[in-house]
């Protein structure tokens, strides 16, 4: 690429190939900053796999480089001329990681893989004698009682992506911006350690935590048999090994990022717990298009009817069933209650059908409307309150949209919901609450909250106003863009100097 | 964990290892059997036939048989190991039905090939009477097909009936050669011998066909693809068979050899060497038994520790046990082979005249007896290397033996008759040492080879 980009975005299984929250965010960012020239480095699952972009890239995106983590074999390559000390440095690196010391990636890379294509090849790292010595040494030191064949293959599967990324052709840019830790974070760290170019990390969800949840549910990881006389290896040993890998990748990324951004305070605390330097952390919340949602005018209300909105996909993680049970309880005290579930029902059809059946069983099918995929703005105009019963969230866009439209919110205590409702810092808290927080999977608490707001129009108005002020002050999409523009500008200056 | 190797798994699966591992072993031991038996038959014939045919006819006959055995081993060499492995692979996949078609195709192809090669050879030997030329071609076809049959006999693992086939066939060869020789002279003599050999082949074929009655289409293509998959085995088989013949070939065409007729040569080296081979029979038997009982269990225990999720400590302990077992097998081999070899070296001058060795051949015989003992050790080293699927080292062993045996044969010719046979002995010694080093390295690195050489993605040998 002749033209050197200002910012190289390092992406893992997301924009521009997969739609979703993070992808939408990236698209929003690159589109809103036309003066910054971006280049994309995308890490996909499978080597050589061709995928079609799901977004139209704006003209300030100069190009996309794709690499795959899995599949295929390593090309045979002549062995490097690394010395025994060079290889010993690898072991030291692992020991430091285990002991929680700052990872000295730069020192290791200078010896083992100073640049993509230089030093030890992927083939040598997978098949080589020296690499094998390190693996057996680590095994003997740390886990001599577990199944070696599983240990060995776990090592291969966890390390192979690293070996591939070690030699990945990352495009040249003045600043690198990784949108997660994990493999993308590793790539950013490699660049930082090799070139000293500034690295920005934006972590939406806590990557290592998300991986841990996946790993806990994975059935492809060997459960270590509990051998008699075994003291250290529990049945979850190999899951633990996988999970630890991702925590360590996060630690490496935190150690190398010049600035660590996340979208709400709770995540920032989690990052610090996982080793991020508090001085380099920053919260930049997601933003909403205030103009679009601010102009929603409430539709005339029918007396005696109270409308509760549930905006979200009908999938288990949103826990629609708790919402339905809450409506059942509300209906006993407030027969005029009406509920709308606005969101696609085709992502998990089995679950959606279960929800319909539940509504019928509860006898509230005449009070519930499943709208399917719909223009949410039209529905906000009808709603008196918006409810979230999710089991997991980051910074839910639906709360921001509701605030912009001046609607109070009831949300389960997950992700950023509490700080979005009660305020993040002193100034934010001074605005007053803009809704009510409930426990997760607690229909009674959700119902109480709905009834509280249904019976108190004054409180609704108060919450709605607080929400409107809060979203304008802290969650303006324009602010998000401004924040990143200034971060980029600062880093580009740093890179230029 | 999808990547846990297909290759590793197959090593453990109950009879899987038995498949190709044992196949190599049986292949080697079993094909030595007929070779030795025919040497015995020839030796007996040369003693008994003195009254039947002239010495010149005897020489011609011996030379024809020697050529047939020597060159058919070379021309079937590449196929032998590949077909052995292909067969074991198919048995591993549970494709018993493939065996009969594979047998028919490989025998058919071998027969056609040797009809062509031997036909060309004897066509260019116009000094021979046409009856002998036709019989020569027939003998080449029969013997080459017998080598192929021996591979499948390995899969039968029914040594009694195989042994019976050979004994009966050899006796038939003897009787009919003597009988027909008396009736029809040299041609009858050769025809009689060939008839006995043909009997062996047909008895074996019948046994194989009875054991594997299945039918399956397109086996010829699968067989051909096996050659593409195991070029190293083809190479090892070919090189090995050239290696064991190269010294005799060198002698034929040297000043120590003589021309019998046309392309057929003989040398004083041949007989001494053939007789020396017989001395290895006890070693072969002992090795077969020891490897079957002791070593094979240790081998399975090792791969068992790997697959059945043992710790590295357990894997290493199993490796040590396997090394001990192998050392014991070798010691057993030495204990039986050294006395036999020593005895033969000592009694050679007295034994010589009885078995038809001339004075000049006694020293050749002595050197060759030592050489044959070492040769057997080298062969076993190769087999053990193949046990661990180190096919490239198998090729290397054959190449070392070939180069050493060929060049030292030339050197011994240059040094003079006193040194004949020492070339072979030293070449075998070099190969044994080479193999020992390779075995040591293989054992030292075994766990590394077992794990780290596994491919990343399970590239299952195409089904």
């Amino acid at each position: 690429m002749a033209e050197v980009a200002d910012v190289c975005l390092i992406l893992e299984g997301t924009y521009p190939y997969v739609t979703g929250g993070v992808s939408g965010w990236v698209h929003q960012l690159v589109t809103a900053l036309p003066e910054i020239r971006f280049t994309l480095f995308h890490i996909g699952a499978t080597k050589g796999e061709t995928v079609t972009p799901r977004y139209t890239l704006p003209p300030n995106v100069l190009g996309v480089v794709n690499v795959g983590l899995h599949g295929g074999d390593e090309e045979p390559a002549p062995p490097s001329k690394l010395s025994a000390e060079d290889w010993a440095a690898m072991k030291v690196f692992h020991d430091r990681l285990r002991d929680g010391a700052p990872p000295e990636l730069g020192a290791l890379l200078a010896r083992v893989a100073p640049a993509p294509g230089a030093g030890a090849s992927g083939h040598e790292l997978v098949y080589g004698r020296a690499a094998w010595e390190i693996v057996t040494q680590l095994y003997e030191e740390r886990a001599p009682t577990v199944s070696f064949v599983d240990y060995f293959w776990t090592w291969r599967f966890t390390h192979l992506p690293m070996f591939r990324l070690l030699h990945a052709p990352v495009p040249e840019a003045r600043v690198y911006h990784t949108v997660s830790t994990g493999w993308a974070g590793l790539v950013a760290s490699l660049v930082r350690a090799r070139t000293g170019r500034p690295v920005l990390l934006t972590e939406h969800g806590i990557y290592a935590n998300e991986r841990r949840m996946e790993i806990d549910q994975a059935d492809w990881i060997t459960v270590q048999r509990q051998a008699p006389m075994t003291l250290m290896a529990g049945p979850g040993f190999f899951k633990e090994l996988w999970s630890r890998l991702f925590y360590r990748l996060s630690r490496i990324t935190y150690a190398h990022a010049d600035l660590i951004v996340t979208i709400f305070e709770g995540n920032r605390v989690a990052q610090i717990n996982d080793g991020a330097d508090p001085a380099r952390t920053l919260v930049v919340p997601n933003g909403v298009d205030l103009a679009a949602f601010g102009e929603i005018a409430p539709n005339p209300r029918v007396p005696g009817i109270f409308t509760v909105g549930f905006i979200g996909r009908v999938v288990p993680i949103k826990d629609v069933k708790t919402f339905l049970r809450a409506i059942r309880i509300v209906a006993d005290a407030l027969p005029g209650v009406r509920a709308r579930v606005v969101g696609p029902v085709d992502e998990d059809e089995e679950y959606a059908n279960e929800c319909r059946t539940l509504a019928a069983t509860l006898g509230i099918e005449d009070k519930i409307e499943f709208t399917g995929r719909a223009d949410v703005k039209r529905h906000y105009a009808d709603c008196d309150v918006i409810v979230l019963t999710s089991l997991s969230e980051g910074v839910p866009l639906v709360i921001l949209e509701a605030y912009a439209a001046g609607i109070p919110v009831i949300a389960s205590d997950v992700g950023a919901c509490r700080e979005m409702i009660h305020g993040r810092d002193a100034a934010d808290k001074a605005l007053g609450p803009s809704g009510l927080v409930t426990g997760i999977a607690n229909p009674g608490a959700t119902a109480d909250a709905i009834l509280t707001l249904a019976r108190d129009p004054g409180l609704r108005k108060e919450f709605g106003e607080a929400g409107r002020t809060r979203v304008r002050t802290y969650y303006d999409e324009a602010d998000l863009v401004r924040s990143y523009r200034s971060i980029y500008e600062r880093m580009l200056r740093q890179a230029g100097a | 964990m999808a990547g846990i190797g297909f290759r590793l798994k197959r090593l453990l699966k109950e009879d899987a290892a038995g498949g190709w591992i044992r196949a190599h072993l049986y292949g080697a031991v079993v094909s030595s059997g007929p070779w030795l038996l025919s040497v015995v038959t020839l030796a007996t014939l040369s003693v008994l036939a003195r009254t039947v045919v002239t010495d010149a006819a005897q020489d011609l006959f011996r030379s024809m048989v020697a050529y047939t055995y020597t060159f058919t081993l070379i021309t079937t060499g590449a196929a032998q190991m590949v077909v052995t492995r292909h067969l074991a692979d198919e048995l591993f996949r549970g494709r018993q039905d493939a065996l009969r078609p594979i047998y028919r195709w490989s025998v058919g192809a071998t027969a056609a090939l040797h009809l062509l090669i031997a036909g060309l050879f004897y066509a260019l030997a116009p000094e021979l009477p046409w009856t002998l030329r036709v019989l020569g071609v027939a003998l080449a076809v029969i013997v080459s097909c017998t080598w192929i049959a021996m591979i499948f006999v390995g899969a039968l693992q029914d040594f009694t009936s195989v042994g019976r086939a050979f004994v009966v066939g050899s006796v038939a060869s003897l009787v009919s050669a003597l009988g027909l020789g008396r009736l029809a002279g040299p041609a009858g003599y050769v025809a009689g011998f060939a008839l006995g050999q043909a009997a062996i082949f047909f008895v074996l074929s019948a046994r194989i066909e009875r054991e594997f009655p299945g039918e399956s289409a397109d086996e010829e293509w699968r067989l051909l693809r096996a050659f593409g998959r195991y070029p190293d085995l083809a190479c090892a088989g070919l090189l090995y068979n050239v290696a064991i013949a190269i010294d005799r070939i060198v002698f034929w065409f040297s000043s120590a050899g003589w021309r019998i007729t046309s392309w057929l040569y003989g040398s004083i080296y041949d007989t001494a060497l053939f007789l020396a081979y017989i001395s290895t029979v006890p070693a072969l038997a002992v090795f077969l038994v020891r490897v079957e009982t002791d070593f094979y269990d240790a081998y399975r225990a090792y791969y068992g520790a790997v697959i059945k999720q043992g710790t590295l400590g357990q894997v290493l302990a199993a490796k040590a046990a396997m090394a001990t077992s192998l050392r014991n097998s070798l010691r057993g081999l030495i204990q039986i082979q050294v006395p036999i070899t020593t005895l033969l070296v000592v009694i050679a001058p007295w034994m010589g005249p009885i078995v038809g060795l001339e004075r000049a051949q006694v020293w050749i015989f002595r050197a060759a007896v030592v050489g044959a003992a070492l040769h057997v050790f080298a062969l076993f080293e190769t087999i053990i290397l193949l046990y661990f699927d180190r096919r490239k080292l198998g090729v290397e062993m054959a190449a070392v033996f070939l180069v050493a045996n060929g060049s030292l044969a030339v050197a011994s010719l240059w040094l003079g008759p006193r040194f004949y046979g020492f070339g072979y002995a030293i070449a075998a010694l070099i190969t044994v040492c080479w193999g020992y080093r390779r075995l040591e390295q293989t054992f030292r690195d075994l766990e590394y080879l077992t794990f780290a050489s596994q491919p990343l993605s399970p590239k299952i040998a195409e089904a």
Side-chain angles (χ1 to χ4, degrees), chain B residues 141-413:
Chain B
V141 171
I142 290 164
V143 171
S144 58
C145 290
T146 307
W147 299 138
I148 300 299
M150 291 314 296
I151 297 166
F152 292 78
V153 164
L156 286 175
Q157 304 198 353
D158 172 10
F159 298 111
T160 327
S161 68
V162 175
R164 203 160 40 226
F166 272 93
V167 172
V168 170
S170 300
V171 172
S173 262
L174 270 177
V175 173
S176 57
L178 292 173
L180 290 178
R182 222 179 282 278
L183 286 175
Y189 190 62
V190 176
F193 180 79
L195 270 179
Q197 301 303 305
I200 296 174
F201 171 71
F202 286 115
V203 171
L204 289 179
S205 282
R207 183 76 186 79
I208 291 162
E209 298 249 327
R210 196 166 67 236
E211 187 77 20
F212 304 110
E215 289 297 341
S216 167
D218 287 336
E219 292 303 329
E220 63 274 30
W221 303 116
R222 296 172 65 91
L223 179 61
L224 270 181
R225 279 199 296 274
F227 279 86
R229 207 159 47 241
Y230 301 117
D232 35 17
L233 283 180
C235 204
L238 180 66
L239 286 179
Y240 178 72
N241 284 301
V242 177
I244 60 173
I246 189 73
D247 51 339
R248 279 176 284 126
I249 296 172
V250 166
F251 270 84
W252 287 338
F253 299 104
S254 74
S255 53
W258 55 79
R259 183 165 172 274
I260 294 163
T261 177
S262 299
W263 298 69
L264 293 167
Y265 287 79
S267 79
I268 57 166
Y269 187 76
D270 285 353
T271 323
L273 219 69
F274 285 143
L275 285 173
Y277 288 149
I278 300 176
S279 70
T280 60
V281 170
L284 285 166
V286 167
F287 185 76
L288 177 64
V289 172
R290 291 212 78 124
V291 166
E292 262 299 274
T293 52
D294 199 34
F295 178 73
Y296 186 61
D297 287 344
Y299 175 88
R300 280 179 54 93
Y302 171 76
Y303 284 102
V306 170
I307 310 273
K308 290 181 182 160
Q309 306 185 315
T311 66
L312 185 58
Q314 287 163 343
V315 171
L316 292 176
K319 178 177 100 160
M322 185 165 57
T324 307
S325 161
L326 188 61
R327 265 193 292 275
N328 288 340
S329 299
L330 284 173
R331 195 177 307 127
L333 208 58
I334 291 169
Q335 278 166 355
I336 187 142
Q337 191 61 48
V338 168
I340 292 172
T341 303
T342 313
L343 181 72
L344 287 174
V345 168
V346 172
I347 66 165
W350 296 279
M351 195 191 82
I354 304 168
V355 293
L357 287 177
E358 294 160 29
R359 279 184 64 83
Q361 289 174 303
V362 168
W363 270 101
I364 303 179
F365 175 74
R366 282 176 158 162
V369 165
V370 174
L374 293 167
H375 183 168
V376 166
F377 281 98
L379 178 64
F380 294 162
E381 286 167 350
T382 308
I383 293 167
I384 300 292
L385 288 173
L386 291 177
Y387 256 61
F388 297 110
D389 208 19
R390 306 214 69 192
R391 302 200 297 262
K392 289 210 168 55
L393 294 186
V395 179
E396 190 189 81
M397 286 286 282
V400 167
F401 192 34
L402 172 62
V403 170
N405 203 20
S407 55
L408 290 172
V410 173
S412 68
L413 276 167

Side-chain angles (χ1 to χ4, degrees), chain A residues 310 319-332 337 339 341 351 354-355 357-364 368 370 387 389 441-448 450-451:
Chain A
F310 182 102
D319 199 6
V320 183
K321 289 177 182 175
T322 291
F323 175 69
L324 297 177
R325 291 196 180 95
I327 294 301
R328 167 69 267 168
I329 298 168
V330 172
D332 290 337
V337 70
V341 179
Y351 184 76
E354 283 171 22
C355 287
T357 309
L358 180 66
T361 312
L362 294 172
I364 51 170
I368 298 273
F370 289 92
V387 174
T389 49
N442 189 341
T446 305
D448 285 348
I450 294 172
L451 283 171

Side-chain angles (χ1 to χ4, degrees), chain A residues 94-337:
Chain A
H94 281 84
D95 288 342
R96 289 180 62 87
L97 268 184
R98 179 199 51 192
D99 300 338
E104 292 184 337
L105 189 59
L108 178 68
L109 285 176
R111 284 173 175 276
V112 178
S121 67
H123 188 268
E124 187 174 6
L125 290 165
V126 175
Y127 294 106
R129 181 87 217 191
W132 161 262
E133 297 294 343
I134 294 166
V135 177
T136 50
Q137 222 181 325
L138 289 172
Y139 169 86
E140 292 294 357
E141 276 177 29
R142 301 184 185 181
T145 57
V146 305
S147 154
F148 183 72
V149 72
D150 291 308
Y151 187 88
F152 179 78
W153 283 96
T154 304
W155 168 76
R156 266 205 177 165
F157 286 138
T158 51
H159 283 63
L160 184 65
M162 282 182 228
F163 301 155
R164 292 194 169 153
L165 294 175
L166 215 46
H167 297 293
V170 186
E172 207 190 330
R174 294 164 67 201
V175 168
Y176 290 83
H177 181 184
T178 175
V179 186
S180 67
T181 63
W183 305 118
L186 179 70
V187 169
S189 306
L190 293 172
V191 173
R192 180 72 172 81
R194 280 168 174 160
T195 67
R197 299 274 164 89
V199 164
L200 168 65
L201 163 67
T202 300
E203 205 175 12
H204 287 246
I206 299 301
Y207 184 92
N209 291 350
E210 288 171 0
R211 287 293 93 78
R212 178 188 279 281
M213 280 193 268
E214 277 173 26
I215 289 164
D216 285 344
Q217 283 157 21
D219 55 5
W220 50 269
I221 299 173
T222 300
V223 172
Q224 167 72 12
R225 287 175 311 149
Q226 193 76 37
M229 309 299 294
T230 306
L231 293 176
M232 63 169 292
F237 179 81
F238 291 104
K239 290 194 168 186
E240 188 52 42
L241 220 55
W242 272 96
S243 177
R244 200 185 298 159
L245 166 87
F246 292 114
Y247 280 100
R248 289 191 175 158
L249 286 177
S250 287
R251 256 213 359 251
I252 292 173
T253 314
Y254 295 148
H256 289 86
D258 296 86
L259 186 62
I260 302 162
V261 177
T262 188
I263 54 174
F264 68 98
E265 184 60 26
N267 271 1
R268 194 178 79 93
V269 172
Q271 289 174 327
I272 292 167
N273 285 339
D274 289 345
D277 171 9
R280 282 184 282 141
T281 58
L282 178 70
V283 173
V284 177
N286 286 345
V288 67
D289 185 345
L290 289 179
F293 287 90
E295 69 193 13
I296 296 172
N299 289 333
R301 297 296 196 254
V302 181
I305 296 294
F306 184 76
T307 307
V308 183
F310 182 102
I311 318 282
R313 297 168 296 138
V314 182
V315 292
I317 200 159
K318 301 287 179 191
D319 199 6
V320 183
K321 289 177 182 175
T322 291
F323 175 69
L324 297 177
R325 291 196 180 95
I327 294 301
R328 167 69 267 168
I329 298 168
V330 172
D332 290 337
L334 190 72
V337 70

